[in-house]
Amino acid sequence: MIFSGKTVSEGVALGRIEFYRKKDADVVRAQVDDTEAEIARFEQAKEDAKREIAKIYEKALAEMGEAGAAIFEVHQMLLDDLNFVDAVTELIEKEKVGAEYAVRATCDHFSAMFEAMDNEYMQARAADVRDIGSQVIAKLRETVQAAHGEKRTVAEKCVRKQAEYGSGRPEATGESAEGQAAYDDEKRSATVTAEESAGEPPVCAGSEPVILVADELAPSELARFDRSRILALVTRCGSVNSHTAILARTMKLPALTGVEFGEGLDGHMAIIDGSAGLLLVDPDEATLEKYRTKQKEETQRERFLSELRDKETVTRDGRRIRLCANIGGVDDADAALRDGADGIGLFRTEFLYLGADDFPSEEEQFEAYRAAAEKMQGRRVILRTLDIGADKRADYFHLPHEANPSLGLRGIRVSLERPDIFKTQLRAILRASCYGNVAVMYPMIISVDEVRRAKQIAEEVRKELDAQNIPYGEVEQGIMIETPAAVWLSKELAREVDFFSIGTNDLTQYMLAADRQDPGLDAFYDPRHPAVLGAVRTVVENAHKGGIWAGICGELAADTSLTEEFLRMGVDELSVAPAHILDVRAAVRECTF
Ligand code: PEP
Ligand code: MG
C-alpha cells in the first residue's frame, strides 16, 4: 500500500508503525454540584500544566534551541489568557459541568475560531489551542486519580468497574446524578495509566524505534518523545507551517502530513520517503532494499558533512566565502559555532518580542544581544531590528487590522512610526556593541528616505548615550533588500549604508506577487524565478560599485544547486539556518572558477 502526503521534513526511514492515540479522546460531560471546587481544580490543573510546559520548554531548548522551544512559551501565555480562563470558569458556573468537559469545550470553540480564519498561519494555531487543552485535562485526570488512591492500569480499572457497575452506565441502573458524576470520574481516571501520568506519551516504549503515525500530534507531545525512539512522523491532519512541523524539521525527523492512511496499520512494516511525500506500507523486499541503500547514502553524507565542521568555506581554487548563520535567539548561536559559522548574518530580534506579553525592556534586549555578541567571540553579529507585522504579530503592539497584512505596516514602517520602541531597541544594540562585533540591519526598506530617518534616529540615540556617559562601540549599519523598490534603488541605497543583505523570502513574495504564507500559491512562489535571480545579480553589482558588500540571508542562500551561481555573481556572504551550514560549506568546497 502506498499513501501520499505533504513533505514536512525530508529523509528516509524504515521501521514498524506505531499508532499514537490522544489521551483525552473520551472526555464526557459530567455534572457537578460544587462548582467552586471544580473551578479550584481547574486553576490548580492550569498551574500544574504551566509547570509541565516549562519543563518541556527546557527540554526543547536543550535539544532544539530557541526556535524549537519558543512555542512552549506561547503555550504558557495562552494558559493565562483571560478569555480562555474566563470561558472555562463561566461554563463550569453556568452549566455545572466538570472541569475536563469545560476545558475541552472551550478549546474546541477557540480552535474552531482559529480554523475559520483565512490566514494559514492563524489556522495552524488551532492545534496549539487543542494542545494546551489536552495538557490541562491530563493534569485534571491526575487529581481525580490521586483522589481515588494509587494509580492502577487500564486493565485493572476496567475489571473493577465491571464488578461495580456491570457493563452499563449508572442511569441504566437507576442511580443518582452524583452516581453519574462518580461514574464519569471513574471513567476519566480509568483511561489514565501510571505511565501516562508521568508525562511521557505511552508509545515508542518497545525495543525498536518506530514510525509514529497519528491523526494529529501537538508540539508538546512531539517534544516529550525521546528523539532516539522515533524514526519518522506521519499525521493525517496538520499544516506544514504548524509548530509541530517546525519541531520535526528542527529534530531532523523525516515527516509527512495530510496522509489519508487507513485503519489497522499498527505494527506493520513501512517506509517513509520524506522528499517524495510517500508512506509505503508492507513494502516488498526489492523496495526495502532500494530504500536501505538510499538510507546508507544519507548516513554516509551526514558523516562526511560532520567532518567539515572545522574546515574552511573555500572554493577549490582558494576563494573564501563568508558562511554565517540565521538565528532566532541566543541559544541558536551554539549550533552556529559548532558548525563553524563565520558569524551571525541574521538575528531575527522580533522573536524576543513575539515570545513576550509586553514590550521587552532595554535591559532584557541588551542582555540577549550582549550574550550573542560574547558567544560569537569577535565574529560579526547582525542584529536585524524588529520585523514585526504581517504574520508576526504581538497583541500589545495593537497593530491595525489589515486586509493585506504582508502589504501592510511591518518592519521598518512600524519602527519609524513608533520611535519610542525603535529607540529602546537601538540603545540596547549600541550598548551591546561594547561586547563584540555588532552590526545593525533595517528590514523592509523601500526608499532612501526611510534609511536616512532610521540612521537619524540611531544618531539621536548615540547622542543620548553620550550625554549619559554610557559607552558603545562601532556599529556598521546595513539594510535588507527584500522589496522590488529596494532592488531598483540599490545604487542609491549603497551610498547610505555599509552592507546589503538580500532577503529572498520576501523578495520572492513581492517580486512575484505571491503570498508566502499561502500554500495554495506554492506554484507561483518560486525563489529560483529568473526575476528573483536577476534581482540578486543587480543588487550585488550595485553594492560592489558603491564599495559595500552584499550577502543573502533568505532561504535561497541554502539552495546548494545555486551556490556556484551566487559565487559567480560575487555574493560576499551566505547566511543560512544552522542546520544547513555544512551542506552549503560542502557545496562551496566543490566550486572552481
Ligand atoms: C527574508 O525575507 O528573506 C528574510 C530573511 O526575512 P524573514 O524571512 O524573517 O522575513
Ligand atoms: Mg523578510
Side-chain angles (χ1 to χ4, degrees), residues 384 387 410 480 482 506 516:
R384 173 175 77 182
D387 186 22
R410 60 168 296 196
M480 291 202 66
E482 46 190 348
D506 277 313
R516 69 190 261 198

Side-chain angles (χ1 to χ4, degrees), residues 76 135 145 159 199 213 265 279 307 371 412 468 569 582:
Q76 284 178 302
Q135 301 195 57
Q145 204 169 40
V159 169
V213 175
L265 297 185
L279 165 66
E307 282 166 12
I412 197 70
Q468 293 171 287
M569 287 180 190
L582 296 178

Side-chain angles (χ1 to χ4, degrees), residues 20 23 195-196 199-205 220-222 224-225:
Y20 174 64
K23 286 185 268 180
E195 295 77 24
E196 284 169 351
E200 185 67 23
V203 290
C204 310
S220 67
E221 289 169 308
L222 180 54
R224 273 196 197 123
F225 285 113

Side-chain angles (χ1 to χ4, degrees), residues 22 38 587:
K22 298 252 173 221
E38 207 60 13

Side-chain angles (χ1 to χ4, degrees), residues 33-260:
D33 288 331
D34 190 351
T35 53
E36 265 178 40
E38 207 60 13
I39 290 169
R41 272 184 75 228
F42 162 62
E43 287 290 346
Q44 182 60 50
K46 179 169 77 69
E47 290 311 310
D48 291 347
K50 272 169 55 187
R51 269 192 292 277
E52 180 87 24
I53 294 171
K55 279 191 228 152
I56 301 174
Y57 171 81
E58 293 302 332
K59 181 171 183 283
L61 191 63
E63 291 173 6
M64 295 171 245
E66 194 107 343
I71 180 56
F72 301 111
E73 278 182 319
V74 177
H75 282 194
Q76 284 178 302
M77 277 157 49
L78 280 174
L79 278 175
D80 275 332
D81 186 289
L82 284 184
N83 292 324
F84 168 68
V85 176
D86 288 351
V88 174
T89 313
E90 221 179 283
L91 205 57
I92 297 173
E93 271 171 350
K94 289 204 175 129
E95 301 202 13
K96 291 185 177 288
V97 290
E100 286 88 340
Y101 178 80
V103 170
R104 174 50 62 231
T106 304
C107 289
D108 285 350
H109 170 72
F110 281 113
S111 64
M113 266 170 47
F114 278 116
E115 260 159 12
M117 292 182 184
D118 57 6
N119 170 313
E120 170 91 0
Y121 179 84
M122 295 310 286
Q123 284 168 0
R125 302 288 69 77
D128 293 326
V129 174
R130 286 195 292 275
D131 188 6
I132 61 157
S134 298
Q135 301 195 57
V136 177
I137 291 168
K139 289 294 162 198
L140 282 164
R141 286 178 160 175
E142 282 177 28
T143 62
V144 171
Q145 204 169 40
H148 285 269
E150 72 302 328
K151 297 163 186 170
R152 299 176 299 269
T153 66
V154 171
E156 285 169 337
K157 281 168 186 280
C158 289
V159 169
R160 177 169 168 262
K161 241 152 123 53
Q162 275 192 337
E164 282 174 10
Y165 299 119
S167 56
R169 289 177 57 86
E171 57 266 40
T173 58
E175 288 195 24
S176 64
E178 287 84 352
Q180 180 175 337
Y183 171 88
D184 285 331
D185 270 355
E186 281 294 320
K187 186 168 186 296
R188 288 189 298 247
S189 60
T191 61
V192 183
T193 65
E195 295 77 24
E196 284 169 351
S197 67
E200 185 67 23
V203 290
C204 310
S207 55
E208 294 293 323
V210 295
I211 294 174
L212 198 62
V213 175
D215 282 323
E216 189 181 22
L217 196 71
S220 67
E221 289 169 308
L222 180 54
R224 273 196 197 123
F225 285 113
D226 176 352
R227 169 67 182 89
S228 66
R229 311 296 309 151
I230 316 178
L231 299 167
L233 174 67
V234 178
T235 59
R236 194 192 302 270
C237 314
S239 138
V240 293
N241 296 318
S242 72
H243 282 107
T244 306
I246 294 168
L247 281 184
R249 288 193 283 272
T250 316
M251 292 161 89
K252 292 199 162 190
L253 191 64
L256 309 177
T257 190
V259 180
E260 279 302 329

Side-chain angles (χ1 to χ4, degrees), residues 406-418 443-444 446 450 483:
S406 52
L407 301 180
L409 207 55
R410 60 168 296 196
I412 197 70
R413 299 175 187 180
V414 175
S415 296
L416 293 177
E417 274 218 353
R418 304 284 301 270
M444 281 297 297
I446 59 160
E450 279 173 343
T483 64

Side-chain angles (χ1 to χ4, degrees), residues 358-408:
D358 202 350
F359 293 102
S361 66
E362 177 185 325
E363 220 44 41
E364 280 171 75
Q365 294 190 61
F366 164 68
E367 287 303 339
Y369 306 153
R370 178 174 89 159
E374 284 180 342
K375 240 181 204 180
M376 293 311 290
Q377 302 154 16
R379 299 173 186 85
R380 180 166 47 213
V381 176
I382 301 180
L383 300 166
R384 173 175 77 182
T385 58
L386 181 63
D387 186 22
I388 205 97
D391 61 317
K392 295 181 250 180
R393 306 185 85 82
D395 284 348
Y396 56 87
F397 272 86
H398 299 295
L399 294 174
H401 176 76
E402 295 167 318
N404 293 306
S406 52
L407 301 180

